[in-house]
Amino acid sequence: MITLLSGFTGTGESQLNRNPWTETVPERADRLVRAGSMAEAIIVMPDGFTRYGGSQYLNSSATGRYEDHLVRELVPWVDRRYRTIPRPEARAIAGKSSGGYGALVQAMRHPDVWALVACHSGDMYFPYCYLPDFPKCLDVLARHGGTVERFLRAWQRMPRKADGALFPAINAIAMASCYSPNRRARLGFDLPFDLRTGAIVPAVWRRWLAWDPVQMVTRYRRNLRRLRLVYLDCGTRDEYHLQYGARMVAERLRRLGVRLVHEEFPDGHGNVQYRYDRSFALLSRAFARR
Amino acid sequence: MITLLSGFTGTGESQLNRNPWTETVPERADRLVRAGSMAEAIIVMPDGFTRYGGSQYLNSSATGRYEDHLVRELVPWVDRRYRTIPRPEARAIAGKSSGGYGALVQAMRHPDVWALVACHSGDMYFPYCYLPDFPKCLDVLARHGGTVERFLRAWQRMPRKADGALFPAINAIAMASCYSPNRRARLGFDLPFDLRTGAIVPAVWRRWLAWDPVQMVTRYRRNLRRLRLVYLDCGTRDEYHLQYGARMVAERLRRLGVRLVHEEFPDGHGNVQYRYDRSFALLSRAFARR
Amino acid sequence: MITLLSGFTGTGESQLNRNPWTETVPERADRLVRAGSMAEAIIVMPDGFTRYGGSQYLNSSATGRYEDHLVRELVPWVDRRYRTIPRPEARAIAGKSSGGYGALVQAMRHPDVWALVACHSGDMYFPYCYLPDFPKCLDVLARHGGTVERFLRAWQRMPRKADGALFPAINAIAMASCYSPNRRARLGFDLPFDLRTGAIVPAVWRRWLAWDPVQMVTRYRRNLRRLRLVYLDCGTRDEYHLQYGARMVAERLRRLGVRLVHEEFPDGHGNVQYRYDRSFALLSRAFARR
Amino acid sequence: MITLLSGFTGTGESQLNRNPWTETVPERADRLVRAGSMAEAIIVMPDGFTRYGGSQYLNSSATGRYEDHLVRELVPWVDRRYRTIPRPEARAIAGKSSGGYGALVQAMRHPDVWALVACHSGDMYFPYCYLPDFPKCLDVLARHGGTVERFLRAWQRMPRKADGALFPAINAIAMASCYSPNRRARLGFDLPFDLRTGAIVPAVWRRWLAWDPVQMVTRYRRNLRRLRLVYLDCGTRDEYHLQYGARMVAERLRRLGVRLVHEEFPDGHGNVQYRYDRSFALLSRAFARR
């Protein structure tokens, strides 16, 4: 069983989208199985979408208990319904971008559920992948009334929400809903910067950093050592510079003695589903070794 | 019956793709029907994809008889299979971008099949929407061996074909396969420019222009006057500058006495499916008047 | 004597600007002379700036008689004032971008004044270097009142006129003031497109094309054959795609038997003053051969 | 006396460059004096250029003692040579971008030399204005051999050094030469990030932050309170997001009781010399009040 998490703004269903000159996930898996590159597997594509575009597959009082959903609801349900091998060594969690982040975090925190993980171009080293968007988010908010509430009201009314120019704002808001929820805050979460001066709020930023895989791997070293395979890759031209985070994580995992495969490839962040060819084969082999 | 043509690189199926914060076409139509904005309709989403990304829904010896497919195969098949009203006044053809182009051309050439048309952000005025890409196509070809054959070979091997930097090349090649097919040419079509100097080849370029709606409307004025409704719209920030072509076409249609609704809206070219709310309602009313 | 024409928005004086890590023209020439790469020469840097940014060094009722200024005023004045060799074989005209255009056109039309020319990244093949900007110009005008007059009034008031987003408008207006002046037009010149629909006006566009070096070289073949040296170069990544025009011109010049050196280099359009190293040396050698 | 510091990659001389549709600094001052907007003044334009593009007007073992140069060499020399009023109340220091940074830092550290300061779009809040460039710098270095030495060697050979794509690398290197010099380091300075993983090196980054005006103002509060005028402005669309730093600094200065004028204007970072109209007038009035 491979649980495949979609990236930010994606859903389980969107992994079945038809894109030009590209296989869907089922077509890809079928080809790999036919070619003998991977064994047959049950591929599960769960949904982690929220009103802001994504949950990072974490529990948050602002958006919902997505982490629990995966390990407490989804896995047992799939085990009941399908012919699975209901043991961690037969379960992989994989994903790309925010889905890669989610996969890695799940594996760190639930080695009793998943013993294999493939993280493609996953969010890591937040000072490079999120912080540079903060002033851009502030710029977008400034153009839409200056508060998150007013921005969100304007955005709700926009017919075209997936606008590239708005992305840094949506993204920062979504990440705040995942990393710094706050029941007492008006919106249900704290922003990591002051809305007027833009100054980073250290107390909130530290809460974000506690969810940065670069920091988490040390904390979860015992769990990580229990995993059968950690596969990590990233493009060397990643637009969010995630290859640097991946190198930091890989370096630490190697030092901790974790079973790691770390690869880089000459491409950017988007449309790199073709990397599943590699991870599915490796996961399959790691499954098979049992 | 509304036949909805997808844009370049799209397929029938891709109109069902799940995108964030956006309805699919069926969800959109369901909402419009529930709200009373449109009557129930059979929506058909045909496939015009080719190896190069699209057929413009024309017959071409280089790619296939897509125009014939729609009027000779698809419509009769749908009429046999579904509870349609098998008359032109009950058939609309609509689409966006290359799908808008295809819809308009179909309506001009087959008023006996479709009596209503909605063209959203359709390709028109080729000197603005295609010509500026010719030198960019030449640049891409120069970086990939200097010939279309070598470029296509390299491209076939690329894991990620839908690369923005390559788009001007793919697009020019695809359009050449539609507008200037040539059975005796090595590739099956002629390019409208010289591969070394870049000079536009007038004889080929004229073949393209003969398929430019701006020129076609005069030639097909008799057919156009038979239509119950021509709906034409375009964003005023269209990245391909299609609003200018739409204005030229609208001006001519109005002068020719065609039943026209021409609208502009403050947006770009991409993700403007929300405009179907407008066209579906207008088409529905025009159907209903019978 | 080398007369060095500056590009669009440049002046004679601006060629003395201090830019980082770059020699000024005098510093460059001094180094080349010291290194023995070129003989001593008088370098003249005339001014062709207009209210719109440049004259293309042509006579125009809209902006002034810049062509005449060079051959009737400047050259005689320099010959009177400085120790020149007052013969065409001892006079070169050179420049970059619009200055390269001006140099080539001057040499074609006044071989009795200049017998050597160096054209770096010069404006040529107007369908690629100007036409793609027409719809962008229309977009800018639409955002500023929809007429050239209103746009120019707004622009006059702007504290920062050299704004990249406005450039396509300024550039098209400036070129119209050079290529299609019209004493009876309100602004003193005709635009090559309709302001509302954007349609290219063939009669005006033909006037522009008559000034395209790609067309001019055939007309001026007798004059061109009299020149001692035509040096032509362009970057293979030129943002205005001028390398294609240069290839067309080079091909024709070669066929006409003109003494031509045509080079390409792997760079874009801007900041390529380092190419003067090459042209100054070649011009100097061609001078010296007398 | 107004000492006007140029921005990064600028020199004293480059402030006299001729740009289209723009006054040079002397022309601007002449107009302001004629209009009665400012009194006559001696304007000094010093040079802070280094091999990497700029010194931030600081002392550095890696590049030179630029801070000392201004207060120990330049000011006494000007006082000897020109008819100045040799007192701080008659001396302003001003500048734009890195020149604005330099001006503010000079005023904070040498209130006995300058009692008035105008900082336009100055570098401040380094987490927003520099940190986002670190991964971009790493990307550039990776494409050029992976070390600063190899990059610099390649760059020295490039005919066109002021390439936008290289800018994040040059800029980070230059800033490291100013903020984190190190006599024992091979290059004479420490980079604030690890070259392989990209990880920020806290010890070096802290040295940078100690030079961030947002941190400095508190430390230099006594000096700042002695100033007759601190003028601070920034565009609300600044590409380096410097408006946020300016707001933080302004907020602190106001709280500290410093004589401050803080303004924002609707523009970006580049070509905003027109803001000198405002600062020269304010400085002049503050001079005059004595």
Side-chain angles (χ1 to χ4, degrees), chain A residues 17-18 21 160 267 271, chain B residues 17-18 51 160 267 271:
Chain A
N17 280 358
R18 168 64 49 202
W21 307 297
R160 192 154 62 80
D267 206 342
N271 298 311
Chain B
N17 280 358
R18 167 66 49 206
R51 61 192 308 193
R160 192 156 60 81
D267 205 342
N271 298 312

Side-chain angles (χ1 to χ4, degrees), chain D residues 141-152:
Chain D
L141 296 179
R143 283 196 299 276
H144 291 92
T147 69
V148 176
E149 288 89 341
R150 270 180 233 151
F151 166 73
L152 286 174

